Amino acid sequence: MTTTVLLVDDHELIRQGLARAFDRNEQTTVVGQAGNVAEAMSRWRDLQPDVVVTDLQLPDGHGLDVVRAVRAASATTGLVVLTMHAGDEQIFAAMEAGASAFVGKDSKVGEVVSAAKHAAVTPRTFICTGLTAAMMRRANGPSTPTLSAREDEVLSLLADGLGTGEIAGRLFLSESTAKTHITHIYQKLGAANRAQALIAAMRLGLLDHLAPQRF
């Protein structure tokens, strides 16, 4: 039987390249594409594909939002996370969200197709090339992410409840640059949103320098 695939990535060139790779394989076919979280969920409900392949960074949210929502509604849909940010935190976050596989964008296209085939057959079994090494690093003790001086400033302002525009204004940055810093902070902390980032930062002691009344 042919495995049907939904591709989710905000870069059309990447989607088209993946679509060609999947369609060249006789066992897989792409039935839909989406460029953001809202579109992905709409297409998933309408198309009911066997597998969803999603990037992590999307314009209106996070790829793990897609993974969690689909997994909550379906135990049989394969979920493949495809990202250029393949750190330990991202791997474990994907696994905990219910993903079937985690693949770096530096992997060969054939690996993505193979991951999708695996996900279709065993959607609740997580595979990732770097998983064993990540688990060994975790077993040897937690490592504290290193934030740049600017990221530390942005994190402090996030803790103060400021939005992206307010942070940009306070630090004399463009909103695009402020958003990039926030995205990097989320990635380093393995977080999908502000609340998760602040919880992780407090757990790791990254906010210990702030006055108690700020919380």
Side-chain angles (χ1 to χ4, degrees):
M1 295 179 62
T2 301
T3 298
T4 55
V5 180
L6 170 65
L7 299 176
V8 184
D9 196 298
D10 60 336
H11 292 93
E12 185 177 356
L13 286 176
I14 292 177
R15 294 200 310 269
Q16 294 300 332
L18 286 172
R20 286 193 293 272
F22 276 107
D23 289 340
R24 280 198 298 267
N25 190 292
E26 295 180 356
Q27 297 176 316
T28 58
T29 184
V30 173
V31 294
Q33 299 183 29
N36 56 52
V37 174
E39 191 176 19
M41 293 310 302
S42 176
R43 294 287 173 83
W44 176 76
R45 284 189 293 266
D46 292 342
L47 299 170
Q48 292 294 300
D50 298 316
V51 179
V52 176
V53 178
T54 181
D55 188 13
L56 283 184
Q57 301 303 321
L58 298 170
D60 59 341
H62 202 277
L64 292 187
D65 296 334
V66 176
V67 172
R68 293 189 189 94
V70 173
R71 180 58 70 227
S74 171
T76 59
T77 302
L79 294 163
V80 178
V81 171
L82 177 64
T83 177
M84 67 178 62
H85 306 290
D88 291 359
E89 294 297 332
Q90 287 77 27
I91 291 173
F92 289 122
M95 182 170 63
E96 291 163 6
S100 313
F102 186 101
V103 185
K105 282 188 175 178
D106 56 350
S107 303
K108 295 180 179 179
V109 175
E111 293 180 46
V112 183
V113 176
S114 295
K117 290 180 180 179
H118 153 82
V121 177
T122 54
R124 299 309 302 268
T125 302
F126 184 76
I127 61 168
C128 170
T129 301
L131 180 59
T132 300
M135 293 181 71
M136 291 179 65
R137 285 189 290 270
R138 173 175 279 192
N140 290 331
S143 58
T144 301
T146 301
L147 301 183
S148 68
R150 179 64 82 186
E151 288 167 353
D152 188 61
E153 291 178 315
V154 172
L155 178 63
S156 297
L157 294 176
L158 285 173
D160 276 339
L162 274 64
T164 304
E166 295 171 305
I167 291 173
R170 185 73 64 88
L171 299 178
F172 304 101
L173 305 171
S174 68
E175 285 201 33
S176 175
T177 299
K179 184 177 180 180
T180 297
H181 286 308
I182 293 171
T183 296
H184 288 167
I185 291 170
Y186 287 2
Q187 291 168 356
K188 289 182 178 182
L189 297 180
N193 53 47
R194 178 197 297 258
Q196 290 181 11
L198 294 180
I199 290 172
M202 285 188 286
R203 186 176 67 246
L204 294 168
L206 298 177
L207 295 175
D208 289 351
H209 62 289
L210 301 183
Q213 61 264 28
R214 295 176 75 169
F215 298 99

